[in-house]
Amino acid sequence: MLRILACLAALMAAPVWGATSDPVSGNAVTARLLTVENGIGSGRGTVSAGLQLDMEDGWKTYWRSPGEVGLPPALSWDGSENVASVDMAYPAPERFEAFEIQNFGYADRVVHPLTVVLERPGEPARLALTADLLVCAEICVPETLLLTLDLPAGGGIDAASAALLSDWIARVPGTGDEAGMTLGQVHLDEAALTLTARSDTPFAQPDLFPEQGGFAAFDAPEIVLSDGGRGLWARLPVLSGGEGPLDVTLVDGDRAATMTATLADAPPPRPAPGDAIWGMLLVALLGGLILNVMPCVLPVLSIKLASALQARDKSPARIRTGFLASAAGVLAFFAALAGVVIALRTAGVAVGWGVQFQNPAFLALMIGLMVLFAANMLGFFAFDLGQGAMTGMARTEARGGWGGDFATGAFAAVMATPCSAPFIGTAVTYALTHGPVEVAAIFGAMGLGLALPYLAVAARPGLVRRLPRPGRWMKIVQTVLGGLLLLTAIWLVTVLATTAGARTALIVAGLAVALLTGLAWRRRAPLVGGAGLAAMLAAALLLPAAPVAATADAGWDVFDRARIAPEVAGGRVVFVDVTADWCLTCKANKRLVLQDVDVAAALTGTVALQADWTRPDADITDYLRANGRFGIPFNAVYGPGVPEGIVLPELLTEAAVLDAIKRAGAPG
């Protein structure tokens, strides 16, 4: 397959059209034959072709081993001319579950690569295919489709067809060595298939598809990862037995390998929990601690600084309880976030770090809260805090309540999520590739790291007394901090413009200005603030999101995952940058590294692809998952020297980027 990819890329520069059959539609599927060549070249003995199947929404077709029910495709090439044989490959399947029944196959689209061997090389040929398919949704419908394609003598290579076919060839499972995966101990009895496997890189979202003859069927696997995600243990209950050799297809994102198992006499033991998690908890703790100095959190910490200045003359006990309340707010948010993540994963929903900033309603709420906090810092209103109030947290300590302290910590945790500090990506990936216990533990450790500054002051409340006494200078500081919060609100408005469209952003911005004006005029927060927040949320929820086309910065092409393999096969270096308007770490990488003179010069010699994840995008999400990531920033470099790619650190450096580009460009 790799040789085929290289040949396709080397030949596809000619501006010609590949041969394509007329599409034939059934009840829920449309099929066509396509070839990379628009004819049979002189002396050519094989033809690179594909069978493309496009299913209607909600329909699927089946893999060569369909699972508990279903049928694989049955193809007949009777009636073909000058065709000795046709070999069809199967891209890695997806797992479908309906009514607790496991099935394997493809939804939306699949292109099966075909290798056509000619009887008489260099002479015209005719492909005549009768395809019997089973497509299913709530019901199953058998389809019989008749396709023909004539290939005259002569011709060249079509770049578009070559790229499409290359993409699907890359999805066909290879050997374990090619995918960087190996099978370990494998045991099969009447009850279950139990096995271990290893990976050169950490598994992200592995799945297993065993095959044993035509009648074997297995239930969904229970998977346990160990050794930092590089070790895998799995147990699959046997639903019906089979005969013959046991093959296991192991799929992990865009990596897949089919390996023949050698059966052992006993099942491998389940890994003992806790070996790897202690080190990962330390990683999560350090990541949470570093979040305190990331730009996302600094505006909220300014509120705590102002309240700390006001609490300077309070008793040590009062200072301690206030900072403990803030720490509790941080931990409570991370506990709630872990619960939401566990619930969403149980429901099969894709989750990632910071994706709530893709939601217009969430952004509108954050803009409103930022305006309220800024107005409070600027002295536009002052009121006694009720139990559930969140907007007067900077004044609360002077009035004896702890609700604002708690809210300060919770809000700091919320604002931390669009930032990715060192270690955060590693910790989140570990959590989201393990079970609920690990999710809760990792998110709790991150929360503890973010809360450490509050806990440090709570342990030594005398530190607050070393701050200068409040005075006129404090008003200046509060004004500056209020301005910073307003700048944060403006930044969120720009993110909302990209997420929901300019009209929604302008309306929310206008409501925010009206809210700020109303607070300054009325000097009362509850009525004006509540009405303002309700209006902004209504605007974000009720106004339809304007369609926003995928874009990229000047000098960058819009990300297309299908371009990577053919560009690399053609000898070019590909640099991928996954970014978002709400990702401040991404902006820092761009400003400090990617726009550096030397780095920018190096990037001009690459195929630079930029993926904008400001809005939800399933293709980008799948690409991140395939690389074991659940948040951004994410940067990777591909090339002849490293066709599998080099994943760069979350915080880029000039040296790391230049070294990766150099290594990728070196011949393999």
Side-chain angles (χ1 to χ4, degrees), residues 108 117 137 192 252 599:
D108 300 326
V117 179
D252 185 44
V599 173

Side-chain angles (χ1 to χ4, degrees), residues 21 24 40 68 136 169 183 195 214 275 422 434 447 457 516 568 660 663:
S21 71
V24 176
I40 307 298
E68 293 183 67
C136 296
I169 288 174
L183 276 180
L195 59 85
D275 292 342
H434 287 74
V457 177
L516 190 64
V568 171
R663 289 171 55 195

Side-chain angles (χ1 to χ4, degrees), residues 473-565:
W473 68 271
M474 184 174 172
K475 295 294 184 183
I476 298 175
V477 170
Q478 287 182 312
T479 301
V480 171
L481 297 179
L484 290 175
L485 292 174
L486 288 178
L487 289 175
T488 304
I490 293 171
W491 163 64
L492 290 174
V493 169
T494 65
V495 176
L496 182 62
T498 306
T499 302
R503 184 180 65 162
T504 300
L506 286 174
I507 292 174
V508 170
L511 291 170
V513 172
L515 171 61
L516 190 64
T517 305
L519 289 170
W521 175 54
R522 293 295 300 271
R523 301 278 171 170
R524 289 181 59 82
L527 181 61
V528 178
L533 286 176
M536 280 187 274
L537 278 174
L541 287 170
L542 300 178
L543 290 174
V548 179
T551 60
D553 293 339
W556 293 77
D557 292 342
V558 175
F559 174 75
D560 180 1
R561 187 177 177 183
R563 285 188 61 183
I564 297 175

Side-chain angles (χ1 to χ4, degrees), residues 371-393:
V371 170
L372 283 175
F373 298 153
N376 182 250
M377 296 291 288
L378 295 171
F380 287 0
F381 70 88
F383 62 94
D384 200 2
L385 187 70
Q387 283 294 318
M390 189 174 177
T391 60
M393 62 177 96

Side-chain angles (χ1 to χ4, degrees), residues 239-313:
L239 301 175
S240 60
E243 295 181 352
L246 174 67
D247 291 331
V248 178
T249 296
L250 179 53
V251 179
D252 185 44
D254 59 357
R255 299 187 302 155
T258 298
M259 297 165 282
T260 299
T262 300
L263 297 180
D265 294 334
R270 182 188 179 99
D275 292 342
I277 194 171
W278 295 111
M280 201 55 61
L281 288 175
L282 178 59
V283 168
L285 182 73
L286 291 174
L289 179 61
I290 296 173
L291 278 177
N292 282 287
V293 295
M294 301 304 288
C296 314
V297 182
L298 291 178
V300 185
L301 293 183
S302 67
I303 299 173
K304 190 61 186 175
L305 173 61
S307 61
L309 290 171
Q310 291 180 346
R312 182 185 180 281
D313 294 327

Side-chain angles (χ1 to χ4, degrees), residues 59-378:
W59 292 79
K60 62 181 181 290
T61 191
Y62 291 96
W63 190 45
R64 62 176 179 245
S65 294
E68 293 183 67
V69 297
L71 292 172
L75 307 183
S76 172
W77 297 96
D78 293 344
S80 298
E81 299 175 5
N82 190 24
V83 174
S85 63
V86 180
D87 179 55
M88 185 172 82
Y90 286 83
E94 300 178 62
R95 179 181 299 273
F96 302 103
E97 183 173 347
F99 309 108
E100 298 184 354
I101 296 175
Q102 302 289 319
N103 297 117
F104 317 134
Y106 313 96
D108 300 326
R109 167 180 287 184
V110 61
V111 178
H112 290 283
L114 304 172
T115 301
V116 182
V117 179
L118 302 179
E119 290 180 341
R120 299 179 300 280
E123 296 186 14
R126 176 183 177 85
L127 300 179
L129 170 63
T130 301
D132 291 316
L133 310 171
L134 184 66
V135 292
C136 296
E138 287 80 11
I139 61 172
C140 289
V141 178
E143 305 267 19
T144 299
L145 305 176
L146 305 178
L147 300 164
T148 59
L149 179 59
D150 291 311
L151 298 172
I157 301 296
D158 171 29
S161 295
L164 176 64
L165 196 55
S166 295
D167 179 45
W168 286 94
I169 288 174
R171 305 186 195 191
V172 175
T175 66
D177 289 341
E178 292 170 344
M181 299 185 287
T182 57
L183 276 180
Q185 185 177 346
V186 182
H187 177 263
L188 176 64
D189 55 31
E190 294 180 355
L193 168 64
T194 311
L195 59 85
T196 60
R198 296 286 303 176
S199 174
D200 294 344
T201 58
F203 287 108
Q205 286 192 309
D207 203 350
L208 294 149
F209 302 93
E211 302 172 84
Q212 190 183 37
F215 301 100
F218 300 85
D219 207 344
E222 175 194 3
I223 294 177
V224 177
L225 298 181
S226 60
D227 191 19
R230 289 178 169 81
L232 177 146
W233 176 93
R235 183 181 186 276
L236 300 87
V238 174
L239 301 175
S240 60
E243 295 181 352
L246 174 67
D247 291 331
V248 178
T249 296
L250 179 53
V251 179
D252 185 44
D254 59 357
R255 299 187 302 155
T258 298
M259 297 165 282
T260 299
T262 300
L263 297 180
D265 294 334
R270 182 188 179 99
D275 292 342
I277 194 171
W278 295 111
M280 201 55 61
L281 288 175
L282 178 59
V283 168
L285 182 73
L286 291 174
L289 179 61
I290 296 173
L291 278 177
N292 282 287
V293 295
M294 301 304 288
C296 314
V297 182
L298 291 178
V300 185
L301 293 183
S302 67
I303 299 173
K304 190 61 186 175
L305 173 61
S307 61
L309 290 171
Q310 291 180 346
R312 182 185 180 281
D313 294 327
K314 299 296 182 181
S315 67
R318 176 64 187 86
I319 295 172
R320 178 179 291 110
T321 53
F323 278 87
L324 285 175
S326 294
V330 172
L331 294 172
F333 171 79
F334 273 91
L337 183 60
V340 171
V341 167
I342 292 169
L344 291 176
R345 290 183 66 202
T346 302
V349 177
V351 293
W353 183 254
V355 294
Q356 70 273 21
F357 281 80
Q358 296 174 343
N359 186 297
F362 177 82
L363 288 170
L365 177 63
M366 299 302 294
I367 292 167
L369 291 175
M370 282 293 180
V371 170
L372 283 175
F373 298 153
N376 182 250
M377 296 291 288
L378 295 171

